[in-house]
Amino acid sequence: MINKEEEFDIIYKNLYDKYFTKFEKMRMDDKKDSKISLLGVGLIFLAALMVEIYLEEKNNILLYIAIILGTSGVAICAVQIRKESNYYELYKKQVIAEFVSYILPGFKYLPDVEIEEKNKMINIYEKAEFDTDPFNRSESDDYIFGNINNIEIKMCDLNTYYEEYIKNNEKRQKNRFKGLFVNAKLSNLKNIEIKILNKNRNENRTKVKLDNDEFNNNFTVVSNSAIEVYEIITADVIKILNDCLEKNKIKFDISIKNNIINFRFYTDPIFEPARNEQVMKKDSFYRYYNIFDYVINFLTTINKIYEDLNF
């Protein structure tokens, strides 16, 4: 039986052999087109500058140069706009959709969803109550839906922030969270509320310490019931969480409310194709492969604990 590393190597090789040449060429073409577009914008800017100088000096040569530069810039931009590169869209629909089908069989991947579905996910995120600080703006994409071991799972790439107006109608933005958000509904039910939060944050809610120094150094546990924490966060759960943090080097928080479990991983945008470096970097795929594996392992373990407690 192959191990996880071998399984990943097979998945990645299949994807690389099938898609790398195609999308690396698309990336290079897209990058070149972006530079050409910038050239067009630059020419338009220079034309505007020449017009300003002409208005001051009334030198017709400057006006002719401005017309040539402006016309060239507009023509370049018009050509680039008509090209409408589909590099990003196609990469997600082919590479990422197939990657998800390998690691989460039966799950559905959608690069984007309707606003109603986005709002539902935001409502779920708000109910998780990871933070005490509010947010009033959000962006999301890369949605994944599915069911495994009778556990309903939804996830997406999520960005939340608080936007406010200060003096002179100037906007100020405070970032709240950016990364991978995962929502899961367990098949078993237990009335409980626990937060497992990364250590490097201020937290004024009721904290519970566990008998594991490594875990206590990595996480802060928030709950009004120490007994429930000891029941749910067993040695197996502690090992999963410590291993996940150590292996992936990505901070994360977990919210457990009854049979609803939410995760948030502080990652870069999860499935965006590269522009300034080689496409399909192996370490990026491996990182998300591991995250999904840990999420499923954690949920399956907690669901079994719930099952045993309800017996």
Side-chain angles (χ1 to χ4, degrees):
M1 183 176 179
I2 64 173
N3 59 35
K4 290 293 181 180
E5 283 70 23
E6 291 170 332
E7 180 187 58
F8 170 77
D9 284 339
I10 293 170
I11 291 171
Y12 179 76
K13 186 177 185 306
N14 287 339
L15 290 171
Y16 187 91
D17 291 347
K18 186 174 181 179
Y19 293 115
F20 175 77
T21 301
K22 171 183 178 179
F23 282 101
E24 182 62 9
K25 182 181 183 304
M26 288 187 72
R27 181 186 75 83
M28 295 300 292
D29 290 343
D30 189 71
K31 188 176 179 180
K32 182 179 69 176
D33 288 342
S34 296
K35 290 180 179 179
I36 294 173
S37 296
L38 286 174
L39 173 62
V41 172
L43 291 176
I44 293 171
F45 175 79
L46 284 175
L49 186 61
M50 288 292 183
V51 169
E52 281 189 26
I53 298 173
Y54 162 76
L55 292 174
E56 291 179 3
E57 300 184 5
K58 303 301 181 183
N59 186 333
N60 288 335
I61 294 176
L62 293 176
L63 181 60
Y64 297 146
I65 294 173
I67 293 171
I68 293 170
L69 291 175
T71 303
S72 300
V74 169
I76 289 171
C77 289
V79 169
Q80 293 307 117
I81 289 171
R82 282 199 296 272
K83 280 190 175 181
E84 294 183 356
S85 170
N86 63 347
Y87 164 58
Y88 287 86
E89 180 183 356
L90 204 60
Y91 180 88
K92 289 188 175 187
K93 285 185 176 180
Q94 294 184 6
V95 179
I96 301 307
E98 191 165 330
F99 177 60
V100 171
S101 72
Y102 279 130
I103 61 176
L104 296 171
F107 278 61
K108 185 176 184 179
Y109 167 74
L110 295 171
D112 208 357
V113 295
E114 297 295 332
I115 188 66
E116 291 81 7
E117 194 63 46
K118 289 177 182 283
N119 289 337
K120 286 179 185 177
M121 205 65 163
I122 290 300
N123 289 336
I124 291 171
Y125 180 81
E126 288 178 323
K127 289 177 182 177
E129 296 180 334
F130 284 112
D131 299 308
T132 54
D133 295 327
F135 69 92
N136 57 8
R137 295 287 184 274
S138 65
E139 300 162 357
S140 61
D141 61 2
D142 294 317
Y143 280 75
I144 300 173
F145 306 94
N147 187 298
I148 188 167
N149 299 328
N150 293 321
I151 301 171
E152 297 176 22
I153 300 174
K154 302 176 182 178
M155 58 183 89
C156 70
D157 188 24
L158 178 64
N159 179 21
T160 64
Y161 51 95
Y162 187 80
E163 190 175 85
E164 61 183 344
Y165 285 93
I166 52 178
K167 61 182 180 180
N168 299 325
N169 219 26
E170 181 184 345
K171 279 184 183 179
R172 180 170 62 186
Q173 183 174 305
K174 297 179 181 178
N175 296 327
R176 294 296 190 235
F177 167 72
K178 187 173 185 178
L180 176 66
F181 173 58
V182 183
N183 165 256
K185 183 177 181 181
L186 304 186
S187 55
N188 292 296
L189 175 63
K190 180 169 175 59
N191 295 324
I192 197 167
E193 186 167 346
I194 299 171
K195 304 283 189 302
I196 305 170
L197 308 171
N198 73 81
K199 192 71 174 180
N200 298 323
R201 53 176 286 156
N202 295 321
E203 186 54 66
N204 298 319
R205 291 173 285 190
T206 305
K207 303 173 189 176
V208 180
K209 278 200 170 184
L210 282 85
D211 189 23
N212 185 291
D213 291 340
E214 182 184 3
F215 182 85
N216 291 329
N217 288 333
N218 290 334
F219 302 98
T220 296
V221 177
V222 175
S223 178
N224 290 325
S225 173
I227 294 174
E228 290 179 343
V229 171
Y230 301 142
E231 284 181 337
I232 301 301
I233 307 180
T234 63
D236 288 342
V237 172
I238 288 173
K239 185 177 187 315
I240 291 170
L241 297 179
N242 282 337
D243 288 351
C244 182
L245 187 64
E246 180 181 355
K247 189 167 187 177
N248 295 294
K249 308 299 181 186
I250 296 173
K251 294 177 182 178
F252 60 90
D253 303 316
I254 300 174
S255 169
I256 305 174
K257 295 185 75 171
N258 303 323
N259 63 330
I260 304 298
I261 299 183
N262 295 294
F263 305 78
R264 62 177 188 180
F265 292 87
Y266 294 78
T267 63
D268 294 326
I270 56 176
F271 292 136
E272 300 306 314
R275 167 167 285 189
N276 296 317
E277 56 186 5
Q278 196 174 73
V279 75
M280 294 183 68
K281 290 183 67 176
K282 186 174 182 178
D283 57 348
S284 296
F285 281 83
Y286 188 55
R287 178 171 58 170
Y288 298 119
Y289 173 85
N290 276 323
I291 288 175
F292 296 146
D293 185 57
Y294 276 109
V295 166
I296 300 303
N297 194 9
F298 179 88
L299 292 173
T300 303
T301 302
I302 293 292
N303 207 36
K304 181 64 170 60
I305 292 170
Y306 274 27
E307 189 177 85
D308 293 342
L309 290 173
N310 289 330
F311 180 72

